[in-house]
Amino acid sequence: MSNKSLVSITDYSKEKILQILDKAAEFEKNPNQPILQGKVVATLFFEPSTRTRLSFETAVNRLGGRVIGFSDASTTSGTKGETLKDTIIMVSNYADLIVMRNPIEGAARYAAEVAKVPIVNAGDGANQHPTQTMLDLYSIKKTQGKLEDLKICMVGDLKYGRTIHSLIMAMSHFNPTFSFIAPEELKLPDEYKMFCKENNIAFTEHDELTEEAISDADILYMTRVQKERFTDLYEYEKVKDVYTLRNKLLENTKPNMRILHPLPRVNEIDYDVDNNEKAYYFEQARNGVFARQAIICDLLGL
């Protein structure tokens, strides 16, 4: 890459991860600062987003910067045949940093190779979502007081879940134990199981969400089944409601256990869980502002 970008969570060392988390904690204490005054950040969302786009825009606005961009690719010159390369080069003329979400795996890496300014990957297909991972790590550290030696249970769409893939790779620095719960059609891809084995990360696999399966978890990471990743809607209908987390399942979980979810949810967390003290997914989303402030400032050298 010709510039400093964040495309994959592997772009960050363990030391860099911890440094960004420390910066995020500082921004949580004081999120409103004129650090980005005179800076322009472009948000290019070729795929729908609520939390990621709005938290990036909030992060920039609270730091005194300005935001340009789009949230609907149908309003851009891409509909006229403009290539991603031309779009990125053109926007590089207008902004100091580009935040991009694209449904094509590898799009962010390509953008970083042609851009004249830093690129932040806000999700590329089912591949990576590194800024979500950083806010996940921040949320885990806030709720558990540490990142090391935790038991993390991941539930739902582990095949297409880019937040899952990024988090597995990031947690490899901190000696986790994973439990993967998914139906056969949505099991974790072999490449991530091999990654765990190569990094001596213990894991188990299950196909049922039971009290026993989550009883010793420190973090319960729920995900939705992503309809937009399926080419066969019949396959989606088969698995869309396979797991639903209810308060009854949480009765024998550890006191420190917290429930995370990258959101949006559909049916995988019952609304009665929202009032449970172990539910942390809305606070998790709020943490995205501070993590993304830290990332933006780091990439811009501020």
Side-chain angles (χ1 to χ4, degrees), residues 173-189:
H173 298 294
F174 305 104
N175 191 39
T177 299
F178 288 122
S179 176
F180 301 127
I181 301 178
E184 186 62 38
E185 298 89 341
L186 295 174
K187 284 193 177 298
L188 188 71

Side-chain angles (χ1 to χ4, degrees), residues 56-237:
F56 263 114
E57 293 185 2
T58 300
V60 174
N61 285 323
R62 288 195 179 280
L63 294 178
R66 297 186 176 246
V67 178
I68 62 171
F70 56 81
S71 59
D72 183 356
S74 68
T75 64
T76 73
S77 290
T79 60
K80 302 175 184 177
E82 183 172 68
T83 63
L84 178 62
K85 177 181 179 181
D86 285 1
T87 298
I88 295 300
I89 292 174
M90 181 271 298
V91 176
S92 292
N93 293 325
Y94 305 148
D96 300 287
L97 180 142
I98 295 172
V99 178
M100 185 182 80
R101 170 170 289 185
N102 195 289
I104 300 172
E105 293 185 26
R109 180 71 61 190
Y110 176 72
E113 290 172 354
V114 301
K116 294 179 283 187
V117 298
I119 295 287
V120 180
N121 182 7
D124 60 334
N127 183 32
Q128 287 263 336
H129 196 351
T131 68
Q132 176 71 43
T133 301
M134 291 306 297
L135 75 90
D136 289 346
L137 292 175
Y138 186 63
S139 299
I140 292 169
K141 190 176 182 186
K142 273 186 71 177
T143 61
Q144 304 303 312
K146 64 176 184 176
L147 290 172
E148 294 80 7
D149 305 318
L150 296 174
K151 294 181 178 179
I152 300 177
C153 183
M154 296 178 164
V155 182
D157 185 353
L158 308 188
K159 180 178 181 180
Y160 300 114
R162 58 193 173 200
T163 66
I164 292 288
H165 304 159
S166 292
L167 187 56
I168 288 171
M169 300 177 88
M171 285 301 301
S172 67
H173 298 294
F174 305 104
N175 191 39
T177 299
F178 288 122
S179 176
F180 301 127
I181 301 178
E184 186 62 38
E185 298 89 341
L186 295 174
K187 284 193 177 298
L188 188 71
D190 287 342
E191 64 187 280
Y192 294 101
K193 295 178 198 175
M194 285 301 299
F195 176 86
C196 288
K197 291 174 181 175
E198 289 167 0
N199 287 275
N200 298 312
I201 298 171
F203 68 90
T204 56
E205 292 188 274
H206 311 272
D207 55 15
E208 291 187 24
L209 179 60
T210 63
E211 286 187 60
E212 183 181 5
I214 65 174
S215 62
D216 66 344
D218 298 302
I219 293 293
L220 178 59
Y221 197 101
M222 300 294 297
T223 66
R224 73 182 171 94
V225 176
Q226 301 177 77
K227 183 177 182 179
E228 65 270 25
R229 306 291 176 217
F230 284 77
T231 54
D232 184 341
L233 285 182
Y234 173 72
E235 290 299 316
Y236 168 73
E237 291 294 328

